Amino acid sequence: MRLLTAKITDDATKIYELYDVEFSPKWFPVFYTLSLDGAKTITEIANEIGHSQPSVTKIIKEMAVAGLVKDNLKSKDKRRNVAGLTEKGIKLSERIKVQSADIDNAINGIISEATHNLWEALAEWEFLLEQKSLLKRVQEQKKLRESKDVQIVAYEPKYQSAFKSLNEEWISTYFEIEEADRKALDNPEEYILSRGGKIFVALYNGEPLGVCALIKMDDPDYDFEMAKMAVSPKAQGKNIGWLLGQAVINSAKELGASKIYLESNTILKPAINLYYKLGFQKIAGHPTPYKRCNIQMELNLKD
């Protein structure tokens, strides 16, 4: 793309010379907008052509030196400074129309010779990148690739220290460890496993960097609670939370559960987004032993 852009820009400079027009190709988007729509503010021009305001300001100053534009003009309501073409600029725009007609015909000739229409392809790419940026797409691919190195395994006593430390790390970062936390973290076999629950551990390259529990509930509305999800900061961005959540949900289904319950805090925005992505919906009014809980959610497995 850069090579193609450089070649076309070089040709554009020579084309202006061919028509005896003293003009820089980089000015054209700003010049065209002003010639078509009349005077505009820097912000309006930037929004129209998709450039930054500093870039447009620099171009306006260069065109002003060339006598093509006047800036700091007052708008009709006298509250905004605008830029507009000078008499010289207006005359030049008429000359460029003749040049542009020849260029259009030349471009149409290329299109007729080419197998693919470059303009249509560029417009399509621009639309797709507006929907989802290249950065976002690369982030997704990175997460997908790294998630393949994540292994979700069932809890074993050797993971007790990881289960405790990972949870203590995130809880103490945002809140304070409460009595209900200590019961589950100090005695997971007694508090979770022996009561019919499950604990899953995420191993990344063999190291336990994420955990999540499915806790059996004695509740008329809910069979299990998804709780104690924690992912090490050094493993974030590897899809571990999603993989743990999927493992917990699939396990609940295998155990015949109808509904899963969870509690959280809205300060944990990535976690809340994850729960919604997993299918949980917000509810209210269920009793909780945690002071930090300000949002409750449920997942209906029968939907």
Side-chain angles (χ1 to χ4, degrees), residues 163-180:
F163 180 66
K164 181 177 181 179
S165 62
L166 287 170
N167 271 282
E168 286 181 339
E169 181 178 19
W170 82 260
I171 295 172
S172 59
T173 298
Y174 298 98
F175 312 102
E176 62 180 29
I177 297 176
E178 302 179 39
E179 183 60 30

Side-chain angles (χ1 to χ4, degrees), residues 6 10 62 64 84 105 108 114 135 166 191 205 208 215 226 276 280 289:
D10 183 53
E62 291 177 2
N105 290 331
N108 289 333
L135 173 61
L166 287 170
Y191 188 79
N205 293 330
I215 301 176
M226 185 166 82
Y276 278 120
F280 283 85

Side-chain angles (χ1 to χ4, degrees), residues 16-22 31 88-102:
Y16 285 118
E17 293 174 357
L18 179 65
Y19 288 83
D20 295 321
V21 174
E22 294 183 7
F31 183 82
K88 179 181 177 181
I90 294 172
K91 289 180 179 179
L92 180 61
S93 69
E94 294 300 319
R95 291 179 60 194
I96 286 181
K97 286 180 181 178
V98 176
Q99 169 184 326
S100 296
D102 291 345

